[in-house]
Amino acid sequence: MPLSSRRAFVSPDGPRPTTMASALPHCTSVRLPALATVALLLMSVTTVQSSQGDKEPVYRDCVKQCVRTNCTGARLRGFQSAQPQYMALTGWTCRDDCRYQCMWTTVGLYQAEGYRVPQFHGKWPFARFLCFEEPASALASLLNGLACLLMLLRYRSTVPRQSPMYHTINAFSLVSLNAWFWSTVFHTRDTYLTEKMDYFCATAVILYSIYLCCVRTLGLRRPGVSSMVGVLLILAFTSHVSYLTFVSFDYGYNMAANATIGMVNLLWWLCWCWQNRRTLPYWWKCGLVVLLLHGLALLELLDFPPLLWVLDAHAVWHLSTIPVHFLFYSFLIDDSLYLLNTEKMGVKVE
């Protein structure tokens, strides 16, 4: 929808630090598992780097006018003095606030003309709450991290350190906690650094889950194999991060790489579950976890404008994965205790 003939106007008082409550009146309108990643790659690889909303002349003119009028001299000092400390600490600038206000101006024009709400810079418009750019996704990421931490503490209190998988699982949990931390930070404030950390840490979790699977299925009997796989995974991660950092941050390549890694992880775990379905009574927990993680990721394909300008498909996906942590760690506890008992009895590990 061309809006070049419509002119956006900015308040003569300039941009204001905005909470969710004050934003709503303006609204007149990694990390994906394999299956969903493949689908998203085919559907959206060409759209993630730019969006209809931020390409509109009305939006661009609005931002230019706002910055020129309100982000220099006395008005800039006025903005900075009125800005809450938590906004300043999270890096919100006058220019950022101009973009935020002009986003809602453009959304209002789209809705007034009866058009679908556009995305801006690869994202739907969200009502900012305090310093949280995507409040629902930030909260969901935080809750995932808390669930992971809670179950890690339960694992440590239930499983003796002598269990063969104890240290590998602890390391996996720390990698996961780091990923959820950066996911929370990224959804709180989207910057060059937080975006990269979110993507890279999500990839690290997927790669380490392959290492976890390798140690459980092969490494307990053949430690040399898991060590070699670990080295290869570290090299793969280093190459992946180096390419995205120093060559090109290619969203399509990143999604394809994660899809490939995720598919390997999915098939490897499912094969192990199938082979041990008659000997391990808890095998179904592992199988259900990997199927749920990949199935729930398909929620991303819904991709609808945020409900109440807060809850979008990405947030729903993150919220849906919170209970999975409890089932996964239940499997890890059962399996670690089984391995400890079989080691004590001198029985061959399956």
Side-chain angles (χ1 to χ4, degrees), residues 176-208:
S176 298
L177 284 171
N178 179 64
W180 286 119
F181 168 79
W182 282 108
S183 177
T184 304
V185 172
F186 169 64
H187 291 303
T188 299
R189 187 71 176 96
D190 182 357
T191 67
Y192 177 85
L193 174 63
T194 60
E195 181 186 40
K196 302 301 178 290
M197 293 303 296
D198 179 49
Y199 278 60
F200 297 159
C201 293
T203 300
V205 172
I206 302 174
L207 287 170
Y208 202 98

Side-chain angles (χ1 to χ4, degrees), residues 130-141:
L130 300 177
C131 60
F132 296 94
E133 203 166 344
E134 299 177 44
S137 290
L139 176 61
S141 296

Side-chain angles (χ1 to χ4, degrees), residues 6 11 17 21 50 53 72 87 163 165 236 242 290:
R6 305 287 297 272
S11 167
S50 62
T72 57
M87 295 291 285
S163 178
M165 290 292 295
S242 297
V290 294

Side-chain angles (χ1 to χ4, degrees), residues 216 272-284 334-335 338 342 347-350:
R216 178 58 185 92
W272 179 84
C273 291
W274 180 258
Q275 290 173 350
N276 291 277
R277 68 190 186 282
R278 292 188 176 89
T279 57
L280 302 178
Y282 53 83
W283 69 270
W284 62 272
D334 290 344
D335 194 53
Y338 164 80
T342 54
V347 179
K348 182 181 177 181
V349 175
E350 296 296 337

Side-chain angles (χ1 to χ4, degrees), residues 32-42 45 199 203 206 240 244 250-264:
L32 295 174
L35 300 179
T37 306
V38 171
L40 287 171
L41 177 63
L42 294 175
V45 66
Y199 278 60
T203 300
I206 302 174
H240 179 73
L244 292 175
D250 188 329
Y251 291 90
Y253 157 74
N254 183 69
M255 295 179 73
N258 282 295
T260 302
I261 300 167
M263 188 62 69
V264 171

Side-chain angles (χ1 to χ4, degrees), residues 11 42 50 57 61 69 75 82 93 104 109 115 118 125 130 132 139 143 162 193-194 214 226 228 241 248 276 285 291:
S11 167
L42 294 175
S50 62
D61 291 345
T69 305
R75 288 203 171 185
T93 65
W104 289 119
L109 292 174
Y115 290 95
L130 300 177
F132 296 94
L139 176 61
L143 292 176
Q162 294 76 21
L193 174 63
T194 60
C214 178
S226 60
M228 291 177 58
V241 171
S248 171
N276 291 277
K285 296 180 181 180
L291 290 175

Side-chain angles (χ1 to χ4, degrees), residues 101-283:
Q101 301 290 350
C102 291
M103 175 183 73
W104 289 119
T105 299
T106 307
V107 168
L109 292 174
Y110 263 74
Q111 290 198 316
E113 296 291 339
Y115 290 95
R116 188 170 187 258
V117 175
Q119 291 190 346
F120 294 81
H121 306 286
K123 302 165 70 172
W124 291 110
F126 291 93
R128 192 172 62 198
F129 175 68
L130 300 177
C131 60
F132 296 94
E133 203 166 344
E134 299 177 44
S137 290
L139 176 61
S141 296
L142 177 63
L143 292 176
N144 272 281
L146 291 176
C148 183
L149 177 60
L150 175 64
M151 294 309 295
L152 171 59
L153 295 176
R154 181 177 297 179
Y155 178 87
R156 288 181 173 180
S157 65
T158 305
V159 178
R161 297 174 63 89
Q162 294 76 21
S163 178
M165 290 292 295
Y166 182 89
H167 297 291
T168 305
I169 290 172
N170 269 273
F172 172 76
S173 300
L174 294 177
V175 172
S176 298
L177 284 171
N178 179 64
W180 286 119
F181 168 79
W182 282 108
S183 177
T184 304
V185 172
F186 169 64
H187 291 303
T188 299
R189 187 71 176 96
D190 182 357
T191 67
Y192 177 85
L193 174 63
T194 60
E195 181 186 40
K196 302 301 178 290
M197 293 303 296
D198 179 49
Y199 278 60
F200 297 159
C201 293
T203 300
V205 172
I206 302 174
L207 287 170
Y208 202 98
S209 65
I210 290 182
Y211 179 71
L212 178 70
C213 183
C214 178
V215 172
R216 178 58 185 92
T217 58
L218 299 175
L220 297 179
R221 289 173 291 174
R222 304 179 183 87
V225 174
S226 60
S227 296
M228 291 177 58
V229 171
V231 171
L232 291 176
L233 292 175
I234 291 174
L235 291 175
F237 180 71
T238 303
S239 299
H240 179 73
V241 171
S242 297
Y243 175 78
L244 292 175
T245 303
F246 301 113
V247 180
S248 171
F249 195 83
D250 188 329
Y251 291 90
Y253 157 74
N254 183 69
M255 295 179 73
N258 282 295
T260 302
I261 300 167
M263 188 62 69
V264 171
N265 190 45
L266 170 70
L267 296 176
W268 198 338
W269 274 118
L270 287 181
C271 287
W272 179 84
C273 291
W274 180 258
Q275 290 173 350
N276 291 277
R277 68 190 186 282
R278 292 188 176 89
T279 57
L280 302 178
Y282 53 83
W283 69 270

